[in-house]
Amino acid sequence: MKKYLELNAQLNLFGENGEIQTDKDKEAAREFFVGPGGVNERTRFFHSLEEKINFMTDNGYWDAQTLRYFTFGSIKRVFQRAYSYKFRFPTFVGAYKFYTSYACKTYDSTPEDPHYLERFEDRVAMVALHLASTEDEAVEFVDLMMTGRYQPATPTFLNAGRGDSGEMVSCFLLRLEDNMESIGYGITSSLQLSKRGGGVALLLSNLREDGAPIKNVEGAASGVVPVMKILEDSFSYANQLGARQGAGAVYLNVHHPDIMEFLDTKRENADEKVRIKTLSLGVVVPDITFELARENKDMYLFSPYDVERIEGKPFADLSVTEHYHAWVENPEIRKKKINARDLFQTIAEIQFESGYPYILFEDQANQDNPVHGRINMSNLCSEILQSNAATDFAEFGMNRAGLDISCNLGSLNIANVMKAPEELEQTVSAAVRMLTGVVENTSIREVPSIAKANQYMRSIGLGQMNLHGFLAQNFIEYGSEDALEFVDAYFSAVRYYALKESNKLAKIGGAFHDFVFSEYADGTALEQYVFNDYRPVSDKVKALFGDAELPSPDDWAELSEDIEKYGLYHSYLLAVPPTGSISYVNGATPSIHPVTAPIEIRKEGKMGRVYYPAPGLSKDTLPYYKDAYETGYEALIDTYSIATRHIDQGLSCTLFFTDEATTRDLNRAYIYAWNSGLKTLYYARIRQQALEGTGVEECVSCTL
């Protein structure tokens, strides 16, 4: 075993005096660099920055076009700024993840014999130069990343400024219409997006059910399952040069007649002809479904083919809750019924076996949607919630591209941001502009509906991570009154400053498409802030913000008026992804959920087990690092519920259960989440699955 692995493993052992040996992890990180065969030996040395730039651009490692926008003096200043921080990785796992997943390597490198061309500072400098429009802005972006206040999502951090780069966008959402041209477009688009490293979610709710007619021939349609099988094979084929399997998800409304067959594809004992192994599943649940379950009634499933024929709109563009009773009474709409409680029992059973399906609470997502249009699906990590529009097809081609969805993500490290809370506005402003740089530097013309939506909507998703780390290091229990008060104040302030920056950009570049039809245009989107004061009340939470002046209701009223007048540059601004590798690189706890253990055990390929300590872990903070399984779903959902009201999209909320949990416990959690106003639920994780390594794998697109 390599010495750095031995040192890292000592994290799992107490020292002679019963102390947690976090110092051994720092030694492991140092050994990873300076030990035999370490990073330093495997990194190519250049005598000057000019020599390095010439080598990297001449050989296609760095994008020469990125650097042509700046003078050499500007480029040198940006690199010097990055190196001035004398950066050291806080953990071994952070260093290991950066050099295995992000650092540029020579083309002849192999996992067993890597040769590095970039250090962390180089990657940061190139990302900053790629996304910035001026030298000063590039320096600002360097500061943002080097201080660990903001970390771009994996596709951006990996690809920005690279000559051989993929896309900077994390994942994509495509809707399918009930015709062969749309299905073909969805499959082709999935291949195009997957080969570029993106994860893709697809909406199946509009497809006619198994046994529906085709051209008046009864029983001709095969339903959604065969389409799922084609998609699974497509993602397996487009596997990013063999680096990993393509990542795909499909969403189906629970009132679709194929819903039970859809769920059964994830059963361990399903027939291989229908079993779905790698495709992720999500269900769309309207309020009426919960109401019927509460009353222990049957629920009707409606033919999408008939609904579209009668209503003149696709099934997914209509609210099942609003139309439910009319559709039940309409004899022209074919329907069948199942017991509502049986549906939720099946969902819980499938989650016990596989962790799936994700759950989208459709009506709550649309109630909180400030933008014109309807939300009817989410992404691979269930935090992207945006309106979409159908693509119109002729028999032999596309009449008009619709609006499909791309996710431009990056996350703030709450603990690092709160080291200087008085600079919160500048931090959020810079992060929004970095994400805007991703929008403006992306155009995937091979998928016209994605390119069009990116141009029209300019959607971004500013996320958060390290909530538990911040709370623990300030001796605050996760889910406590003080913790919830902090979440309320922090997330509302972030939204204010994000909207303020978007409004400033709109004054220069104009508002997003159809802004005039949004709830921002008449002020209703931000009414809660004009009539409620989310600034902290308790002395303990006030102290966390120091002298920072957080926005008051009067500030919100003024901003809302400014937005009504000048608009917003972005249709959507905020989303909280699960995060993963970026958390480890950043020395953070993932997303805003509790840690799964104070010292997390990770499996890293041929390395075997490695150990990741929670930030600031010590004897003093250990009691505040209660793990997610023991914390329970109530405290977790309470936290997400508070944050949700300040997020214009969604939050990737994983539920954690001990190995004593039953399907009844899962059903109680669904109801609690729905009653608490959550918009989505991500995976359900059972402790025994995690211990045995049989749980689901996280989405690479969002978590890395």
Side-chain angles (χ1 to χ4, degrees):
M1 179 185 290
K2 295 184 182 294
K3 186 177 179 181
Y4 54 75
L5 291 176
E6 293 177 1
L7 289 165
N8 172 252
Q10 291 183 48
L11 266 174
N12 212 33
L13 303 171
F14 288 111
E16 293 180 0
N17 300 314
E19 74 276 13
I20 300 169
Q21 300 189 87
T22 52
D23 58 319
K24 295 296 182 183
D25 189 55
K26 290 181 172 59
E27 289 181 37
R30 184 177 183 277
E31 179 67 19
F32 181 62
F33 282 89
V34 303
V39 168
N40 289 358
E41 283 186 16
R42 293 181 173 277
T43 301
R44 175 159 181 161
F45 175 77
F46 296 91
H47 291 90
S48 67
L49 177 60
E50 188 171 17
E51 180 190 349
K52 180 163 192 165
I53 288 174
N54 288 337
F55 175 85
M56 297 295 281
T57 54
D58 289 348
N59 290 282
Y61 292 110
W62 283 350
D63 176 30
Q65 193 63 38
T66 293
L67 298 177
R68 287 196 188 103
Y69 287 115
F70 299 91
T71 66
F72 180 73
S74 296
I75 295 169
K76 187 173 183 179
R77 181 188 171 206
V78 170
F79 274 85
Q80 286 178 335
R81 185 66 163 227
Y83 274 93
S84 71
Y85 281 92
K86 301 187 185 306
F87 175 80
R88 296 291 182 271
F89 284 97
T91 66
F92 161 72
V93 170
Y96 176 76
K97 290 301 294 183
F98 173 76
Y99 279 95
T100 55
S101 300
Y102 299 98
C104 186
K105 307 173 188 68
T106 60
Y107 293 128
D108 61 354
S109 286
T110 65
E112 296 76 22
D113 186 26
H115 300 280
Y116 306 112
L117 295 170
E118 286 181 329
R119 292 188 179 275
F120 183 76
E121 294 89 342
D122 300 319
R123 186 89 298 269
V124 164
M126 288 304 297
V127 172
L129 288 164
H130 192 76
L131 298 180
S133 56
T134 66
E135 175 189 334
D136 287 342
E137 190 172 57
V139 170
E140 185 182 14
F141 290 171
V142 165
D143 291 339
L144 192 66
M145 290 182 280
M146 292 305 301
T147 56
R149 287 175 289 153
Y150 174 78
Q151 178 65 44
T154 282
T156 304
F157 196 55
L158 174 64
N159 292 317
R162 291 277 288 267
D164 56 347
S165 64
E167 294 296 337
M168 292 188 291
V169 180
S170 294
C171 58
F172 305 89
L173 290 74
L174 304 170
R175 54 180 288 163
L176 301 186
E177 310 309 320
D178 190 30
N179 58 73
M180 195 64 74
E181 290 75 23
S182 178
I183 294 171
Y185 175 73
I187 294 167
T188 302
S189 299
S190 296
L191 287 167
Q192 290 287 349
L193 296 168
S194 187
K195 83 172 186 179
R196 288 166 172 77
V200 187
L202 299 103
L203 176 68
L204 304 185
S205 298
N206 292 330
L207 303 187
R208 67 190 72 189
E209 73 279 13
D210 184 19
I214 298 177
K215 294 184 176 179
N216 297 320
V217 178
E218 292 293 334
S222 300
V224 302
V225 174
V227 177
M228 294 164 66
K229 295 294 286 185
I230 295 170
L231 289 169
E232 182 165 64
D233 290 342
S234 299
F235 288 117
S236 177
Y237 180 72
N239 60 5
Q240 288 99 59
L241 298 176
R244 66 178 176 89
Q245 288 290 320
V250 286
Y251 279 81
L252 188 71
N253 194 294
V254 294
H255 287 267
H256 189 287
D258 290 348
I259 185 62
M260 299 306 282
E261 292 80 5
F262 175 84
L263 292 170
D264 284 344
T265 62
K266 277 293 181 184
R267 290 193 184 275
E268 292 178 358
N269 61 353
D271 189 292
E272 286 299 316
K273 292 180 180 178
V274 298
R275 188 181 178 197
I276 296 296
K277 299 176 182 177
T278 59
L279 201 63
S280 301
L281 268 57
V283 292
V284 181
V285 185
D287 286 352
I288 187 67
T289 320
F290 280 99
E291 294 166 9
L292 294 168
R294 182 172 54 207
E295 298 169 7
N296 197 20
K297 290 184 176 179
D298 287 338
M299 57 181 280
Y300 281 90
L301 315 178
F302 304 102
S303 166
Y305 171 77
D306 289 336
V307 166
E308 184 169 359
R309 181 172 54 83
I310 298 298
E311 300 286 356
K313 290 183 178 180
F315 180 73
D317 290 338
L318 298 162
S319 167
V320 174
T321 298
E322 291 178 11
H323 292 84
Y324 182 79
H325 295 292
W327 289 349
V328 169
E329 298 299 324
N330 191 330
E332 293 187 57
I333 297 177
R334 275 168 290 199
K335 58 191 74 72
K336 64 180 182 180
K337 62 183 178 180
I338 59 174
N339 184 269
R341 290 187 180 179
D342 286 348
L343 169 73
F344 284 108
Q345 175 66 20
T346 299
I347 291 173
E349 290 173 1
I350 302 299
Q351 284 196 328
F352 254 95
E353 291 187 23
S354 66
Y356 300 104
Y358 313 143
I359 300 175
L360 164 60
F361 302 121
E362 181 184 36
D363 291 316
Q364 291 178 172
N366 281 285
Q367 179 181 332
D368 294 338
N369 179 25
V371 176
H372 174 69
R374 184 161 186 82
I375 294 168
N376 44 36
M377 65 180 301
S378 187
N379 65 319
L380 279 112
C381 301
S382 76
E383 83 278 12
I384 298 301
L385 300 173
Q386 299 178 20
S387 304
N388 53 37
T391 295
D392 182 38
F393 290 94
E395 186 173 354
F396 298 107
M398 182 185 295
N399 279 336
R400 183 189 68 255
L403 298 176
D404 284 317
I405 299 165
S406 54
C407 320
N408 307 309
L409 299 171
S411 293
L412 297 177
N413 180 326
I414 295 172
N416 289 341
V417 169
M418 290 299 293
K419 289 176 181 177
E422 69 280 0
E423 298 177 10
L424 181 58
E425 180 173 0
Q426 297 95 306
T427 296
V428 174
S429 167
V432 167
R433 281 182 280 116
M434 281 195 73
L435 284 165
T436 304
V438 176
V439 171
E440 294 175 346
N441 282 277
T442 299
S443 180
I444 305 175
R445 296 176 182 175
E446 294 81 2
V447 186
S449 55
I450 291 289
K452 181 179 177 180
N454 184 65
Q455 178 188 358
Y456 278 26
M457 308 305 287
R458 306 165 185 158
S459 302
I460 62 174
L462 178 60
Q464 304 289 336
M465 59 185 173
N466 210 11
L467 174 64
H468 197 184
F470 171 75
L471 295 173
Q473 291 173 84
N474 284 279
F475 310 110
I476 298 173
E477 184 179 348
Y478 185 96
S480 66
E481 287 187 17
D482 285 338
L484 297 179
E485 185 180 347
F486 169 77
V487 169
D488 222 7
Y490 175 83
F491 276 81
S492 62
V494 168
R495 186 177 192 187
Y496 176 85
Y497 294 127
L499 287 165
K500 188 175 181 180
E501 181 60 33
S502 185
N503 177 240
K504 185 191 297 184
L505 293 171
K507 293 174 183 178
I508 302 169
F512 69 84
H513 180 70
D514 278 354
F515 167 81
V516 293
F517 299 113
S518 73
E519 293 181 359
Y520 293 115
D522 62 12
T524 56
L526 304 178
E527 280 182 340
Q528 63 166 319
Y529 301 102
V530 177
F531 297 109
N532 296 285
D533 193 341
Y534 292 105
R535 291 175 295 180
V537 176
S538 70
D539 291 339
K540 186 165 187 176
V541 179
K542 280 183 179 179
L544 296 174
F545 288 95
D547 296 329
E549 294 187 9
L550 300 180
S552 67
D554 287 342
D555 293 327
W556 276 101
E558 184 179 345
L559 175 62
S560 185
E561 289 177 7
D562 223 20
I563 290 172
E564 288 180 53
K565 185 175 182 180
Y566 296 104
L568 293 171
Y569 190 76
H570 314 84
S571 58
Y572 296 93
L573 284 158
L574 305 166
V576 179
T579 72
S581 287
I582 64 168
S583 301
Y584 304 122
V585 170
N586 211 262
T589 58
S591 194
I592 66 168
H593 62 67
V595 296
T596 54
I599 298 175
E600 183 183 347
I601 303 173
R602 290 185 57 82
K603 291 182 179 179
E604 292 290 345
K606 294 181 179 179
M607 294 276 287
R609 289 188 173 189
V610 293
Y611 300 86
Y612 177 75
L617 184 63
S618 67
K619 270 190 173 181
D620 294 332
T621 59
L622 181 60
Y624 297 92
Y625 273 120
K626 188 177 178 182
D627 74 54
Y629 299 98
E630 296 301 327
T631 296
Y633 65 79
E634 292 96 340
L636 190 149
I637 290 173
D638 290 345
T639 301
Y640 275 77
S641 174
I642 294 293
T644 291
R645 63 188 177 202
H646 306 300
I647 300 294
D648 57 3
Q649 296 188 68
L651 303 91
S652 184
C653 180
T654 296
L655 298 181
F656 300 86
F657 298 91
T658 68
D659 49 10
E660 297 177 354
T662 64
T663 54
R664 179 171 292 185
D665 294 315
L666 268 67
N667 275 303
R668 286 175 179 150
Y670 307 153
I671 295 168
Y672 191 76
W674 176 63
N675 284 327
S676 298
L678 266 63
K679 303 174 191 175
T680 63
L681 291 174
Y682 191 31
Y683 289 123
R685 294 201 182 280
I686 315 299
R687 186 193 289 276
Q688 193 60 38
Q689 290 179 341
L691 290 173
E692 294 174 353
T694 57
V696 288
E697 300 216 356
E698 292 180 337
C699 163
V700 177
S701 296
C702 292
T703 62
L704 278 184

